[in-house]
Amino acid sequence: MGVKEKFFLDSGNAVLVVIDVQEKLCKAMDDKVLAKLCTNVSILQEAAAELNLPVLATEQYVKGLGETLPELKEKLCSPALEKMTFSCCGDHNFTDAIKKTGRKQIIIVGMETHVCVLQTVLELLDAGYYVHLVKDAVMSRKKDNWQVGVDAAAAAGAVITSTEAVLFQLLRVAGTDAFKKLSKLVR
């Protein structure tokens, strides 16, 4: 495995995964951190749409936690995958959808960092994917738990990154129409 293959995102080899940003779960989150997460997830969704990256979203136990936040759900091209397992990889619909893309770089955003996000990261790494955990687009109810999730993902081999780092790696070049459109989102 080359350093570039693991650490440098390629828009032709990446998938964005939005994990469990659901209405009732969001009510338990810090409002300021949640607002930042929603902004960053939205930026990455727009980048994915502009650069033709597949986007998969999941919803944990919809009956109890509700659906994906409307402002994020409206940007999805396909319905969110409902799951009961904490790891997205515990659901064959998710693993089949990832395999079907044929892509090996997985960009992870969502909640909660120390539960569903971390378990998904670990299983994706174990399955041979290159996982990029977007540190400013994941959250937990408590900051300590968020830190545990980020640290464990890093120790397991995930690339810890940021929304801007992901955006500019996917863009690669300034001056293009995509650059002009998307770079405005982080100014």
Side-chain angles (χ1 to χ4, degrees), residues 92-107:
H92 71 87
N93 291 319
F94 177 82
T95 54
D96 290 350
I98 289 282
K99 286 177 190 168
K100 189 175 176 183
T101 70
R103 295 170 179 231
K104 295 299 283 181
Q105 296 176 326
I106 314 295
I107 304 163

Side-chain angles (χ1 to χ4, degrees), residues 20-33:
D20 306 346
V21 186
Q22 295 167 251
E23 296 165 317
K24 291 180 184 174
L25 186 55
C26 287
K27 289 178 183 176
M29 301 295 166
D30 177 279
D31 290 339
K32 288 180 184 176
V33 179

Side-chain angles (χ1 to χ4, degrees), residues 10-52:
D10 173 359
S11 63
N13 195 28
V15 178
L16 176 63
V17 175
V18 182
I19 300 175
D20 306 346
V21 186
Q22 295 167 251
E23 296 165 317
K24 291 180 184 174
L25 186 55
C26 287
K27 289 178 183 176
M29 301 295 166
D30 177 279
D31 290 339
K32 288 180 184 176
V33 179
L34 178 62
K36 180 179 165 187
L37 175 133
C38 289
T39 296
N40 290 337
V41 171
S42 181
I43 288 167
L44 294 174
Q45 285 181 299
E46 288 188 42
E50 183 70 22
L51 301 170
N52 297 312

